[in-house]
Amino acid sequence: MKESWSAFDTFEPHFRPLVVIELAKNTKEETKEWLTQRIVDKKKNGGAQLLVKPLVKEDGGKIDGNQNLYLVGASHLRLLLGAETVGLVKECNDNSMRTFTYSSRNTFKDFAEDNHDFLTMAECQYIIKHELENLRAKDERMIPGYPQAKLYPGKSILRRLLTSGILLQIFPLHDTEELKKLRYTWYGQVKISYQPLDEIRCYFGETIALYFGFLEYFTFALVPMALIGIPYYVFAWEDYDKYVMFASFNLLWSTVILEVWKRCCAIMTYRWGTLLMKRQFEEPRPGFHGVLGINAVTGKEEPVYSSIKRQIRIYLVSLPFVCLCLYFSLYVMMIYFELETWALDFHEENESSYSNLMLFVPSIIYAIVIEMMNRVYRYAAEFLTSWENHRLESSHQNHLILKVLVFNFLNCFASLFYIAFVLFDMKLLRQSLATLLITSQILNQFVEALLPYWLQKRHNTKVKKRVYSVKVDTDLSLFEQVNLEKEMGTYLGTFDDYLELFLQFGYVSLFSCVYPLAAVFAVLNNITEMYSDALKMCRVFKRPFSQPTANIGVWQLAFETMSVISVVTNCALIGLSPQVNALFPDSKTDLILIVVLAEHILLALKFVMAFVIPDKPRDIQIKLARLEFESLEALKQQQMKLAAESLKEETHGEKKMN
């Protein structure tokens, strides 16, 4: 049973800063007072009931240049009540995982009234973010001091402050001591070992930990493909009929690794508690806007937006724009083939080491152009998806991922399909695949990790000089930390990281029988990716807010779809090989029928394997079933208790009347 918020005083004498809010320099005083009052106000009055204070000197004076930096924290009691609100799952004394409730707090493992480490810092920051995002306007019609910043009942206050330019950013603070320990165990020592996923989860949250877990798992899964691909590359380059076994292994491999990953993911997320988190009634995303109305399911007041208007935006604006971008991508691809023809003619006329190198130039240029087009299109896709105004964050992400995946798939793989099934040039296919794969990996490593790290290191040096030049009497470490972190780049989530792995999976699986070394380069890239991404998370970007998640979401479906497409492409490539064609000199119809039959058999085998391999291990299935049974029993007991109380009241009433 939930405790009433009004029954608690959540004042905390010892303030622990967890989150930083930065307002614009010229923010009006009445706006600051209104916002801070809403943050500290009680829940029953529409506040967040948190703690907030500006960055100040010990004598109480504000530090020059930092009047608009506010530190947000919460009392231990407030965080415990917030943990119940967001539905955090913790381990009980009987080693089972259950949703945390304040009333049954003493049944949870390691809980004590004075144990402030019961909730991890990432969980505390997630609770604060949830409460701040759910600060909604009540009777206000505008942001105080800014008549142009309109509000209406139910509108997200933080969202309006952001879009109006009043709120610059909100970010969680690093725990410097914990970060040092994590950096040392994660990438601070050169040794072959697994990543400290539990420590990463405790510090950065489940979403980041799951990405690194998948990256590590995928890298190990690529090792068999790499070991088998090397001898095929060395000893059987042009004998495509010998690649039948390799391609068949690839197809079964891609199915098995994705199914086994589901089991590994279930084991990890059960241990972390996110597998049990309930999200039946997801709240509207902060960016969702509309006229205030009543949710038909929950009965709560919230913005309402016509689904017909959303569909019109999707099908009459977003879809034509995506199709136009796809056409432009194909047009750029045809220019690439013209460059390939020119380079080939140049090589035939001037056979030399220089002309040999020129053969790779068109592919390198095309790979760079692809990366540039992907990044520009990404911004357009984000704008369109936001403009479509999806109510739920999950729906918003699914539409964004779909737009980006379709474009990236065509942009990265259309040229390879054209070479394979229109030009029938296996030598050019092999060369293009190798160049695209290696060039994209080098560019990604440079753009995503090395360049930001170098820029951030230079910027940090300047900021430190500026910080130490200010004579302050406050805790210099906290002052320096806040100023350093507010200038860091913002981590935009795991989207780009998963997209990179998705494209890599496509390069490895789609044309495996043409370029077996793809898996070797993928393994080498992923090993460096683990360290560069770890460095990026710990040194380059602000600490991201923790986000509980039970799986890798729609990316699982994306990888599975890619594995199905790989069945078709590999079967078609084997059917096009000269050796297989020589077996059917008179009738190509028989060849096509046999290739289609083989493709259907392999697809059927994939789906059978996916069905046979359970998504969750047996012991976790039993634990989940037991929890569901106990929940039903508890509900029955509660209903029986209520019925007994009701019957007792009726009997008592009848006695009074008599």
Side-chain angles (χ1 to χ4, degrees):
M1 182 179 174
K2 282 193 174 184
E3 302 285 351
S4 171
W5 283 93
S6 59
F8 296 98
D9 178 12
T10 54
F11 173 74
E12 180 76 18
H14 305 292
F15 181 82
R16 181 194 182 195
L18 293 169
V19 173
V20 177
I21 292 177
E22 183 181 10
L23 301 176
K25 288 184 179 179
N26 57 350
T27 304
K28 297 178 180 178
E29 286 300 322
E30 60 180 307
T31 309
K32 297 178 189 177
E33 291 175 7
W34 170 76
L35 177 60
T36 52
Q37 183 59 40
R38 288 300 303 269
I39 292 173
V40 302
D41 213 352
K42 291 189 177 294
K43 292 282 285 184
K44 64 180 181 180
N45 299 327
Q49 209 163 335
L50 300 173
L51 306 174
V52 61
K53 72 173 190 177
L55 192 64
V56 296
K57 297 180 182 179
E58 280 186 348
D59 60 7
K62 293 183 180 179
I63 299 168
D64 293 338
N66 293 275
Q67 296 92 336
N68 300 310
L69 283 173
Y70 289 85
L71 307 174
V72 182
S75 67
H76 181 52
L77 173 59
R78 176 65 181 87
L79 292 171
L80 293 175
L81 294 171
E84 179 176 350
T85 302
V86 300
L88 288 185
V89 176
K90 306 293 284 184
E91 187 177 3
C92 293
N93 291 322
D94 61 359
N95 297 323
S96 63
M97 304 296 294
R98 298 177 192 279
T99 304
F100 178 81
T101 57
Y102 185 76
S103 58
S104 61
R105 58 193 180 279
N106 291 313
T107 64
F108 288 87
K109 195 172 183 179
D110 298 327
F111 179 83
E113 296 294 346
D114 59 347
N115 179 17
H116 288 209
D117 295 326
F118 175 70
L119 297 175
T120 67
M121 188 176 182
E123 288 172 339
C124 296
Q125 290 165 334
Y126 168 68
I127 292 166
I128 289 178
K129 173 177 176 279
H130 176 270
E131 296 299 341
L132 290 176
E133 285 182 343
N134 281 281
L135 274 177
R136 298 189 179 273
K138 295 185 71 181
D139 303 322
E140 302 95 334
R141 298 298 175 185
M142 64 175 187
I143 300 290
Y146 296 88
Q148 74 280 8
K150 302 297 182 184
L151 285 175
Y152 52 80
K155 173 67 179 175
S156 170
I157 290 175
L158 252 64
R159 181 70 183 179
R160 174 57 73 210
L161 288 169
L162 279 168
T163 55
S164 302
I166 302 168
L167 174 63
L168 299 182
Q169 60 178 331
I170 173 171
F171 62 92
L173 276 172
H174 275 294
D175 184 328
T176 52
E177 291 303 316
E178 287 299 317
L179 184 60
K180 284 178 185 176
K181 294 176 186 176
L182 178 61
R183 277 159 49 184
Y184 180 75
T185 56
W186 198 358
Y187 66 87
Q189 40 190 340
V190 180
K191 64 174 184 178
I192 300 174
S193 64
Y194 293 106
Q195 296 179 102
L197 295 179
D198 288 333
E199 288 83 353
I200 296 170
R201 175 254 168 180
C202 285
Y203 194 83
F204 288 110
E206 290 78 15
T207 299
I208 304 295
L210 267 185
Y211 161 68
F212 281 101
F214 182 73
L215 174 61
E216 180 179 271
Y217 172 83
F218 184 51
T219 304
F220 278 110
L222 282 167
V223 170
M225 285 291 295
L227 293 177
I228 295 173
I230 292 173
Y232 269 95
Y233 176 82
V234 174
F235 300 113
W237 184 242
E238 297 296 341
D239 297 331
Y240 291 104
D241 57 330
K242 294 181 182 178
Y243 288 161
V244 174
M245 291 298 295
F246 181 75
S248 301
F249 174 78
N250 182 326
L251 300 175
L252 298 178
W253 164 85
S254 63
T255 304
V256 171
I257 66 163
L258 293 175
E259 291 302 314
V260 173
W261 163 251
K262 290 181 185 177
R263 294 171 63 86
C264 295
C265 183
I267 292 169
M268 280 193 295
T269 53
Y270 178 82
R271 188 173 71 246
W272 296 341
T274 52
L275 189 63
L276 303 171
M277 289 187 74
K278 305 294 183 185
R279 297 188 179 277
Q280 294 97 329
F281 305 110
E282 194 175 343
E283 295 184 4
R285 50 186 290 269
F288 177 66
H289 59 85
V291 181
L292 188 68
I294 302 296
N295 186 307
V297 178
T298 63
K300 292 181 180 179
E301 276 193 338
E302 65 176 46
V304 176
Y305 187 78
S306 170
S307 60
I308 296 175
K309 289 182 181 178
R310 185 181 300 113
Q311 297 302 320
I312 290 173
R313 291 186 174 191
I314 291 172
Y315 292 110
L316 296 186
V317 179
S318 296
L319 185 60
F321 176 79
V322 171
C323 292
L324 183 65
C325 290
L326 295 179
Y327 172 78
F328 179 72
S329 176
L330 291 174
Y331 181 75
V332 172
M333 182 188 75
M334 299 312 297
I335 295 175
Y336 156 66
F337 284 118
E338 290 179 7
L339 288 175
E340 279 286 0
T341 305
W342 172 82
L344 190 60
D345 292 341
F346 180 81
H347 176 65
E348 289 175 353
E349 291 174 7
N350 313 278
E351 287 196 21
S352 64
S353 57
Y354 174 72
S355 65
N356 239 347
L357 288 174
M358 287 297 294
L359 290 174
F360 293 93
V361 170
S363 295
I364 294 173
I365 293 174
Y366 185 51
I368 295 171
V369 170
I370 283 176
E371 289 297 320
M372 292 171 62
M373 288 170 63
N374 286 344
R375 293 181 185 279
V376 171
Y377 175 81
R378 167 74 185 277
Y379 291 116
E382 286 177 344
F383 173 79
L384 279 175
T385 309
S386 179
W387 179 70
E388 288 166 8
N389 195 27
H390 296 278
R391 177 181 176 272
L392 302 181
E393 186 63 35
S394 55
S395 175
H396 176 87
Q397 287 298 323
N398 288 344
H399 279 80
L400 174 61
I401 290 172
L402 181 62
K403 287 186 186 73
V404 175
L405 280 186
V406 169
F407 182 80
N408 277 262
F409 182 84
L410 187 74
N411 209 20
C412 295
F413 299 116
S415 61
L416 301 178
F417 279 99
Y418 186 82
I419 294 169
F421 303 117
V422 177
L423 301 180
F424 304 111
D425 190 339
M426 296 303 155
K427 187 175 180 181
L428 179 59
L429 176 62
R430 187 165 59 244
Q431 174 191 310
S432 298
L433 176 58
T435 308
L436 287 173
L437 174 64
I438 296 169
T439 306
S440 65
Q441 289 179 346
I442 292 172
L443 284 173
N444 282 325
Q445 290 285 354
F446 179 74
V447 172
E448 290 183 10
L450 298 179
L451 181 61
Y453 176 69
W454 179 72
L455 292 174
Q456 189 62 45
K457 198 169 182 181
R458 285 190 61 193
H459 184 74
N460 283 356
T461 304
K462 293 179 182 177
V463 173
K464 281 181 180 179
K465 287 180 181 178
R466 189 166 70 247
V467 168
Y468 284 112
S469 67
V470 180
K471 303 299 182 184
V472 293
D473 301 321
T474 188
D475 181 2
L476 186 61
S477 61
L478 176 62
F479 174 73
E480 180 185 9
Q481 180 186 351
V482 172
N483 278 275
L484 284 176
E485 291 184 25
K486 79 181 181 70
E487 299 292 341
M488 287 181 169
T490 301
Y491 181 64
L492 299 176
T494 56
F495 185 96
D496 288 327
D497 298 313
Y498 277 119
L499 180 61
E500 185 180 345
L501 291 180
F502 171 78
L503 296 176
Q504 185 188 95
F505 182 68
Y507 285 128
V508 171
S509 62
L510 288 178
F511 304 100
S512 59
C513 59
V514 175
Y515 191 59
L517 277 188
V520 177
F521 286 109
V523 169
L524 295 175
N525 174 78
N526 289 356
I527 291 172
T528 58
E529 185 83 12
M530 286 183 202
Y531 287 97
S532 63
D533 282 353
L535 181 73
K536 179 174 68 176
M537 294 303 305
C538 296
R539 300 291 296 272
V540 176
F541 293 121
K542 297 183 187 76
R543 184 179 188 174
F545 279 104
S546 168
Q547 187 63 44
T549 186
N551 48 55
I552 62 174
V554 72
W555 290 107
Q556 181 77 34
L557 179 61
F559 277 88
E560 289 171 353
T561 304
M562 181 69 83
S563 71
V564 171
I565 297 172
S566 71
V567 173
V568 181
T569 57
N570 279 282
C571 288
L573 285 172
I574 291 171
L576 289 172
S577 67
Q579 292 81 3
V580 175
N581 270 265
L583 300 175
F584 302 90
D586 301 322
S587 175
K588 298 300 177 187
T589 306
D590 292 343
L591 172 60
I592 293 171
L593 290 174
I594 288 175
V595 169
V596 171
L597 177 63
E599 170 207 310
H600 279 61
I601 290 172
L602 285 169
L603 282 174
L605 185 59
K606 278 177 67 68
F607 291 126
V608 167
M609 290 177 65
F611 177 76
V612 168
I613 302 174
D615 292 350
K616 299 180 183 71
R618 179 66 179 164
D619 61 326
I620 289 182
Q621 290 180 28
I622 292 171
K623 289 175 182 176
L624 293 175
R626 185 185 299 141
L627 282 174
E628 187 175 354
F629 173 75
E630 289 175 359
S631 298
L632 289 173
E633 286 297 307
L635 183 61
K636 284 181 186 177
Q637 293 291 334
Q638 188 176 2
Q639 289 174 342
M640 288 172 64
K641 185 178 179 181
L642 290 172
E645 288 176 356
S646 177
L647 182 62
K648 186 177 178 181
E649 286 177 3
E650 287 178 8
T651 306
H652 183 68
E654 288 176 2
K655 285 181 179 179
K656 268 191 170 183
M657 289 177 67
N658 293 334

